[in-house]
Amino acid sequence: MPGFEVFGEEEKQQVMDVFDTGVLFRYEFGAQRNDVYKVREFEQAFAAYTGADHAQAVSSGTAAVKVALAALGVGAGDEVITQSFTFVATWEAILDVGAIPVFTEIDTTLNMDPSDLEKKITDKTKAIIAVHMLGAPARIEQIKAIADAHNLPLIEDTAQSAGCRLNGKHMGTFGDIGTFSFDSVKTMTTGEGGMCITNNEALWRAMSEYHDHGHDHAVNPGGRGGEGRSFIGFNYRMMELQGAIGLAQLAKLDNMVESQRKNKAVIREAVATIPGVTFRDILDPSGDSATFLAFMLPSKEKAAAVNSVLRENGAGAINWSENSWHFYPQWEHLLGGKTPAQNGWPFSAHGKRRYIYDPDAFPISAALMERTLCYQVPVKLSDENRNTMAEALHKAAQL
Ligand SMILES: *Cc1c(COP(=O)(O)O)cnc(C)c1O
């Protein structure tokens, strides 16, 4: 999965360009910066790579989701629908704009179940966030059709799926806004960082202004201090060093994905020898970013037995239902409404709970997750690791 595996001279060279100017800020300093604008260049390169018209760099993938929601006009009391299997960041951003996260079941894509999405739409719904988990697409065309039928904006949280395409089209370009993360474990990384892409110029402008205290970035004689604004904002800016690293990493993304696909195929072949195993639905294998291989056993008990053999032999798999950061029943802080705010916000307002989260609300997802095992696919798979995995999987196949 991670871009840190391929960190090298290209990243160093890009960063040195910034140190040579001494300008770390993405705006202003025209006289000193010798025309080096790394964040701006990274935005343009990322838009071109994904095929989007506009890109807005931000400070993290979580900030990207929040900036997208703010630009779409989502606010207090609104409901935003997302899926029960995602990283906590997706719904943290929803709560942070004052809205209420509503969750759906997942299906064998391990992403949003479109039929459950239909059931969760109410007159309070103001946006949908589909997440492309573990490097592969949600049923985004169906989800988009449902969003359109209800006149709802669609955000794609593509934090885990840079380099992933469906029928030749990059994930994040199907809905109104696609958001990305470049944190330290993502396929391409800038240490911390994020991006929003869109084909809608008005949305891009709103994101550009909101992420920088409302600055309208219009050229004027007073410079930055003389810029106007039309609404309040916040600071989610990316700095030049991150933009520089992003340029080097983006240039390596297709090669990383290609290596991952090869390595995934090798691991998949060994997994396929386990009797009764099935695989996660990958809607378009030719566009898979191949960061993970997820496979299902016929039952929870069988999955546990297989994984204990794998663990004993040095090749344990991830069971996401046991992971406290990615799956709804394990989010005890959400379920329990835990917040540092003494008045209970955002879970409570005026002494009243705004929404009750039932830990057993997603039986279909829970049953699926409990029998699913998952390997992270490395960019570089050593012969030693490959052999360890092959032997462990061979033993698990004898069960
Ligand atoms: C990593 C991730 C994020 C958040 O990204 P950060 O850059 O770590 O803030 C959001 N959504 C998903 C699905 C993620 O995996």
Side-chain angles (χ1 to χ4, degrees):
M1 183 192 195
F4 64 69
E5 288 181 77
V6 299
F7 240 81
E9 288 306 315
E10 299 80 4
E11 284 78 3
K12 276 190 207 162
Q13 190 50 57
Q14 282 286 352
V15 166
M16 286 315 291
D17 290 350
V18 177
F19 282 132
D20 285 344
T21 69
V23 180
L24 301 177
F25 193 54
R26 69 160 299 177
Y27 298 113
E28 293 276 301
F29 297 95
Q32 289 109 294
R33 66 191 312 146
N34 203 17
D35 222 22
V36 173
Y37 287 91
K38 293 296 184 186
V39 175
R40 193 163 83 192
E41 203 187 322
F42 180 36
E43 288 170 340
Q44 287 162 355
F46 200 81
Y49 175 84
T50 54
D53 290 344
H54 308 279
Q56 178 61 54
V58 292
S59 50
S60 73
T62 314
V65 179
K66 185 175 172 197
V67 167
L69 286 166
L72 289 166
V74 177
D78 295 340
E79 291 180 2
V80 177
I81 304 177
T82 190
Q83 58 203 49
S84 55
F85 176 49
T86 184
F87 182 54
V88 294
T90 314
W91 53 261
E92 285 172 342
I94 297 171
L95 287 169
D96 219 48
V97 296
I100 293 165
V102 174
F103 299 92
T104 72
E105 295 272 21
I106 55 164
D107 64 20
T108 50
T109 63
L110 300 184
N111 287 316
M112 183 178 278
D113 175 354
S115 63
D116 198 38
L117 167 62
E118 291 244 53
K119 291 181 205 152
K120 297 291 164 64
I121 295 173
T122 71
D123 54 8
K124 286 191 175 163
T125 309
K126 286 290 146 50
I128 296 162
I129 308 179
V131 189
H132 305 298
M133 286 296 280
L134 310 178
R139 297 186 196 281
I140 198 67
E141 286 168 328
Q142 276 169 265
I143 292 167
K144 173 72 175 141
I146 294 166
D148 286 348
H150 293 268
N151 209 10
L152 289 169
L154 173 61
I155 296 172
E156 295 169 75
D157 182 343
T158 318
Q160 298 195 4
S161 289
C164 176
R165 294 175 183 81
L166 177 65
N167 306 325
K169 195 167 151 62
H170 201 285
M171 307 323 295
T173 62
F174 290 80
D176 297 273
I177 299 173
T179 65
F180 293 81
S181 162
F182 311 122
D183 79 22
S184 55
V185 296
K186 297 307 202 281
T187 311
M188 55 169 285
T189 181
T190 59
E192 300 283 0
M195 191 76 81
C196 301
I197 58 171
T198 184
N199 288 338
N200 180 320
E201 194 188 342
L203 282 179
W204 167 71
R205 268 187 202 292
M207 294 192 288
S208 161
E209 293 172 26
Y210 181 77
H211 105 292
D212 184 22
H213 301 297
H215 276 271
D216 67 5
H217 305 129
V219 179
N220 74 87
R224 184 165 164 85
E227 285 174 356
R229 59 192 172 226
S230 46
F231 48 68
I232 60 165
F234 212 79
N235 177 3
Y236 295 112
R237 290 185 303 256
M238 179 181 273
M239 71 189 282
E240 287 291 276
L241 292 172
Q242 295 163 296
I245 298 169
L247 281 165
Q249 286 269 300
L250 180 61
K252 298 177 180 182
L253 180 56
D254 281 339
N255 281 338
M256 285 196 268
V257 168
E258 200 180 303
S259 302
Q260 287 171 168
R261 281 193 197 136
K262 281 187 196 137
N263 292 334
K264 183 169 173 174
V266 170
I267 301 169
R268 192 183 195 280
E269 206 176 289
V271 169
T273 61
I274 301 173
V277 78
T278 55
F279 290 91
R280 172 195 190 184
D281 263 341
I282 303 284
L283 301 182
D284 174 10
S286 73
D288 185 10
S289 72
T291 54
F292 285 90
L293 173 72
F295 52 101
M296 289 87 172
L297 282 306
S299 67
K300 174 184 175 177
E301 292 70 28
K302 186 70 197 273
V306 164
N307 208 13
S308 77
V309 173
L310 295 174
R311 279 181 185 142
E312 280 157 25
N313 290 279
I318 306 163
N319 183 325
W320 293 102
S321 73
E322 297 164 357
N323 177 295
S324 69
W325 294 98
H326 294 83
F327 187 43
Y328 176 94
Q330 303 277 6
W331 295 330
E332 85 296 336
H333 54 336
L334 172 83
L335 305 180
K338 299 209 176 109
T339 165
Q342 288 181 5
N343 67 7
W345 180 261
F347 298 105
S348 301
H350 313 296
K352 246 181 75 184
R353 270 305 272 278
R354 299 167 76 212
Y355 209 87
I356 302 292
Y357 292 101
D358 170 7
D360 301 317
F362 302 101
I364 297 169
S365 306
L368 181 60
M369 294 300 272
E370 283 166 356
R371 61 187 187 85
T372 299
L373 298 179
C374 186
Y375 280 123
Q376 184 169 327
V377 178
V379 177
K380 295 175 181 168
L381 181 61
S382 67
D383 288 345
E384 194 190 334
N385 284 348
R386 178 198 320 236
N387 292 339
T388 304
M389 289 180 91
E391 276 168 37
L393 286 161
H394 180 73
K395 285 186 185 143
Q398 314 305 311
L399 264 182

